[in-house]
């Protein structure tokens, strides 16, 4: 269950538009997450108002920071219960959306629920560092996003290999974004990225949020991404 009034208030304020069918699907998606949450740990946030602010509105806010053209290939890395990816697909069903996570059970939940809503995202059950090496995923996406997956520096190594040259990586971050970004500057450059801006937002009920927009300006060297143990042990500095 979502707080429809709070969502409508946000839509009006942000200038985003969603039709009644999309709002209904968001509500049904939230209901499915709440139901599954009884038997599987999908989210600690269960109160409808908080769920609406921190999962639904926060996910939608990506649309205010990054352009998502019809037919664009979009990837959500470490999607978990489907945030922001499933919310984006419900809001913009004309995108070609892929959802990647290393946890099969979460992806099984998403696949089943998406189908019940008439949606069929591509589901990728792999670690980001593995998928990023594979020709079918490497440098194939117009927009790659991730929320609550890793620090910005390691996230660049996970995500930038998926982005086409000319495409965008949009990292959804909290209040600490500037500090994370400072630490990620070398990684960003080395992996073919360039900062194009940070969109700072204040979301009622979710606090300060920052969306870091990275343009992919050159191809990522084939040695990246490295295996996760190496990323952890020897981060790009
Ligand atoms: N993005 C969702 C959100 O904001 O609600 C989920 C966040 S959850 C804290 C992090 C998710 O990232 C988990 O589902 C985990 O399985 C996934 N994850 C972490 N590292 C990953 C990696 N290297 N490759 C693929 N998935 C990863």
């Amino acid at each position: 269950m979502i707080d429809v009034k709070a969502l409508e208030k946000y839509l009006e304020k942000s200038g985003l538009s969603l039709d009644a069918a999309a709002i209904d699907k968001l509500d049904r998606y939230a209901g499915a997450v709440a139901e599954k949450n009884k038997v599987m740990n999908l989210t600690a946030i269960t109160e409808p108002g908080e769920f609406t602010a921190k999962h639904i509105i926060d996910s939608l806010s990506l649309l205010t920071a990054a352009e998502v053209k019809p037919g664009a290939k979009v990837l959500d890395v470490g999607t978990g219960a489907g945030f922001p990816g499933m919310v984006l697909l419900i809001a913009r069903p004309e995108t070609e959306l892929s959802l990647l996570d290393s946890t099969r059970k979460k992806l099984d939940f998403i696949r089943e629920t998406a189908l019940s809503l008439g949606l069929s995202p591509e589901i990728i059950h792999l670690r980001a560092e593995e998928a990023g090496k594979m020709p079918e995923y490497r440098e194939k996406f117009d927009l790659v996003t991730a929320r609550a997956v890793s620090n910005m520096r390691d996230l660049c190594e996970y995500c930038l290999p998926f982005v086409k040259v000319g495409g965008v990586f949009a990292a959804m971050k909290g209040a600490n974004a500037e500090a994370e970004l400072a630490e990620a500057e070398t990684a960003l450059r080395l992996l073919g990225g360039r900062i194009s801006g940070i969109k700072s937002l204040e979301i009622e009920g979710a606090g300060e949020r920052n969306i870091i927009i990275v343009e992919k300006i050159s191809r990522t060297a084939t040695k990246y991404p490295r295996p996760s143990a190496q990323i952890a042990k020897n981060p790009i500095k």
Side-chain angles (χ1 to χ4, degrees), residues 42 55 76-84 100-103 106 126-129 146-149 158 228:
L42 285 177
H55 285 325
D76 181 14
V77 173
T79 192
F83 303 115
L100 178 144
D101 205 285
S102 54
T103 307
K106 292 180 184 175
L126 285 168
R127 291 195 64 84
E129 328 68 279
R147 189 185 82 153
V149 173
Y158 290 144
S228 55

Side-chain angles (χ1 to χ4, degrees), residues 78-91:
T79 192
F83 303 115
M86 275 304 295
V87 174
L88 288 182
L89 184 62
I90 291 170

